[in-house]
Structure formats: C-alpha cells, structure tokens
Amino acid sequence: MVKRANRKSSSAHASRGAGAVRIIAGRWRGRKLVVQDAQGLRPTTDRVKETVFNWLAPHLPGARCLDVFAGSGGLGFEALSRGATWTQFCEKNPVAAKQLRDNLDQLGAENAQVDSTDALTLLAAPPQNGPFDVVFVDPPFHQGLLNDTLAALANNGWLAPGACIYVEAESELDDYHVPGNWHCHREKRAGQVNFRLYFNDQT
C-alpha cells in the first residue's frame, strides 16, 4: 500500500514523475530501482534500512519474506538481495504494484510475487504456501491499520516459529498491541519514525 508522508522522499529522481530507491548490500548492491511518484509514497530511508538489515543479517539467508504494505518495495528487494529465498509483496495501489513487477523483471528476480490487493484482505485467510520467516509491516501512517495487521499475522498462520517481524510506525504511536508471545528484540527512533524488531516465540 502507498505510504503517507509528511515530507518528500530524499531519494534521487530517476526520471520525471518518478524517484528511486537504492539497494544497500548483497548481490544487487548499489542498484537503483524506480519508484513511481504516487501521492503519499514514503519509502523507508537508507538510514533506517541499514540499521534494520544489520539486525536481520543472521536471519535472512534462506528466509521466506513477506512485505505487507510494500509501497516502493525497498524492504523486500533488500531482503532478496541479501539472501532471502522468496519475497511476497502486497501492494494495493495498482501503479505501485506494477512498478514492483517491473523492478523484479529488471533485476531478473523470479523468486518473488506481487499481490495487488488490500493487506487486511490478504491476511484474513491463511497463506497458500506456508508461513514466513521474516515479515515487514510498514503501513500508512495515521490510518489505524497496525493493530489489525499484527493480529491477522499472528492468528491466521502467517508466521513461522521464531519469525522476525519488523514494524515501522509513526513515532507518536507507541502503544500498539502485539501478541503476548512476541518479544521486542531491538527498537529505535529516527525522526518521525519508530521502528522495532520482534521475534515470534511460538514453537
């Protein structure tokens, strides 16, 4: 889903009407991918990505990943670049979803799929091909989606035992609900963003 922003992305513009996100590390290190200039698009910044993927480094090789509100796809592409075996992108906005598919084609990545659907609709049913090891949850700010999203992930079979769940939220939203069997492994704040990494302790 397209992300809401309070300021413009600092990403360099790749062409008129579009910006870009950069893959930081891994097999596609340094590649820039086009991001459509859709209203409210809020890619995760390089600064935040670098921190998050340092946290996730031991868990990515061989992982199945889910990027729930994919937007630019910066998190899911970074995971693939760093050794994830599969990433499923969920993006409601059709323009952004098409760009995700175009970027996958550009990279020659066949170990991914893009679902152009509402995230809560997707998560309402169990996953078709089994649970995920790493899940990125970065919903639009100020739309009240976070609690329902986390509950659906926990209750509908989307998380493998020991799964990592990355949550990015507006900094003032500090009291969202997480399932009792999750524990917060790391957390940090960067400007208007609060981001945390949880582990699913269910065995």
Side-chain angles (χ1 to χ4, degrees):
M1 182 173 288
V2 170
K3 316 291 196 298
R4 182 180 297 256
N6 292 322
R7 59 175 182 269
K8 292 182 180 178
S9 168
S10 60
S11 298
H13 284 273
S15 61
R16 184 178 179 184
V21 293
R22 181 175 66 92
I23 297 177
I24 297 172
R27 60 174 170 157
W28 298 319
R29 179 179 180 180
R31 293 285 294 272
K32 290 185 177 180
L33 302 175
V34 173
V35 178
Q36 291 299 318
D37 193 15
Q39 182 179 6
L41 193 68
R42 182 183 55 80
T44 299
T45 65
D46 282 1
R47 176 186 172 190
V48 172
K49 275 199 300 185
E50 187 166 7
T51 298
V52 171
F53 281 93
N54 284 340
W55 294 349
L56 286 171
H59 309 282
L60 284 174
R64 283 172 42 81
C65 299
L66 174 66
D67 194 347
V68 182
F69 298 90
S72 69
L75 296 171
F77 286 121
E78 191 75 35
L80 287 172
S81 183
R82 295 181 187 229
T85 57
W86 177 262
T87 293
Q88 182 172 342
F89 298 88
C90 178
E91 175 50 55
K92 181 179 180 179
N93 182 277
V95 175
K98 181 181 183 302
Q99 189 63 62
L100 291 172
R101 295 187 182 99
D102 290 346
N103 287 339
L104 287 169
D105 288 343
Q106 178 187 340
L107 293 170
E110 297 181 351
N111 55 336
Q113 74 179 56
V114 179
D115 293 306
S116 184
T117 188
D118 177 78
L120 290 177
T121 300
L122 176 73
L123 298 177
Q128 294 183 352
N129 297 308
F132 291 84
D133 306 300
V134 177
V135 179
F136 301 102
V137 183
D138 182 12
F141 287 177
H142 311 296
Q143 294 191 22
L145 294 168
L146 190 52
N147 285 333
D148 288 344
T149 301
L150 300 183
L153 285 168
N155 295 333
N156 296 331
W158 289 86
L159 302 175
C164 304
I165 307 98
Y166 168 72
V167 179
E168 187 172 320
E170 56 268 41
S171 57
E172 64 268 25
L173 184 61
D174 201 34
D175 60 349
Y176 57 83
H177 177 73
V178 298
N181 61 312
W182 294 12
H183 80 265
C184 184
H185 174 62
R186 301 292 294 270
E187 65 178 309
K188 198 168 182 178
R189 178 173 173 172
Q192 300 177 20
V193 176
N194 179 30
F195 54 105
R196 296 171 179 167
L197 181 64
Y198 295 91
F199 287 165
N200 172 31
D201 289 338
Q202 181 179 359
T203 57

